[in-house]
Amino acid sequence: MIGSRIKELRRQKSLTITELAKRAGVSKSYLSYIERDVQKNPSIQFLTKISKPLDTNIEFLLGEERTIPHSNEPLDQEWTKLLKNAIDDGLSKEDFREFQNYIKFSNWKNGHIKNKGGNNIDNVTKKC
């Protein structure tokens, strides 16, 4: 699924695997494995790197096409305080984006594991 999305976007941009790998700073052979579904579980770092030259986001690559409704309401005080504290502690916009991507990837991966055998990580951990 991820591989086919990457391949489709790459072709839409008229890029070869070599060109995309070079632009993203990833291994050409690894990119090929992903596109051919030989490797089905790419890292968050790989997805972050590959999404930029494809002009997409990790959510799309992971197959999460749902949209979040926009709210015209201002952030509540707790969110405002959390964000202000994070910024005061040195959190940059890029750090925040990377954290968001990590959360999206983690949620996708956990959902992917649940769907494979009905077990999730918590259940596997409890059995050990």
Side-chain angles (χ1 to χ4, degrees):
M1 179 173 84
I2 293 172
S4 60
R5 285 176 182 262
I6 291 171
K7 188 175 188 176
E8 180 183 333
L9 288 171
R10 177 178 62 77
R11 286 183 172 170
Q12 286 175 4
K13 297 220 168 265
S14 301
L15 295 171
T16 64
I17 287 180
T18 303
E19 291 170 325
L20 179 56
K22 188 174 182 178
R23 289 183 186 187
V26 299
S27 161
K28 176 179 147 182
S29 59
Y30 187 69
L31 175 56
S32 175
Y33 287 157
I34 295 294
E35 282 193 3
R36 293 182 291 134
D37 278 338
V38 173
Q39 171 58 262
K40 297 180 183 192
N41 194 13
S43 70
I44 187 71
Q45 291 84 9
F46 175 85
L47 293 174
T48 300
K49 287 180 179 182
I50 208 78
S51 66
K52 290 177 184 174
L54 292 174
D55 294 325
T56 191
N57 57 42
I58 291 175
E59 252 185 350
F60 177 78
L61 294 177
L62 295 174
E64 297 178 12
E65 297 180 28
R66 57 194 156 123
T67 58
I68 299 169
H70 295 285
S71 173
N72 292 332
E73 297 177 28
L75 293 176
D76 65 36
Q77 286 184 333
E78 184 179 11
W79 273 109
T80 303
K81 185 176 179 180
L82 285 169
L83 288 172
K84 183 178 179 336
N85 288 342
I87 292 166
D88 290 346
D89 290 341
L91 182 74
S92 69
K93 289 177 184 177
E94 186 58 33
D95 293 336
F96 186 76
R97 285 185 195 99
E98 284 185 37
F99 181 69
Q100 282 182 302
N101 287 336
Y102 170 76
I103 294 299
K104 290 173 188 175
F105 178 75
S106 181
N107 288 341
W108 170 83
K109 190 173 182 179
N110 288 338
H112 188 68
I113 291 170
K114 282 181 188 177
N115 292 338
K116 278 196 170 182
N119 292 329
N120 61 30
I121 291 174
D122 292 334
N123 291 340
V124 173
T125 306
K126 289 176 185 174
K127 291 178 183 176
C128 293

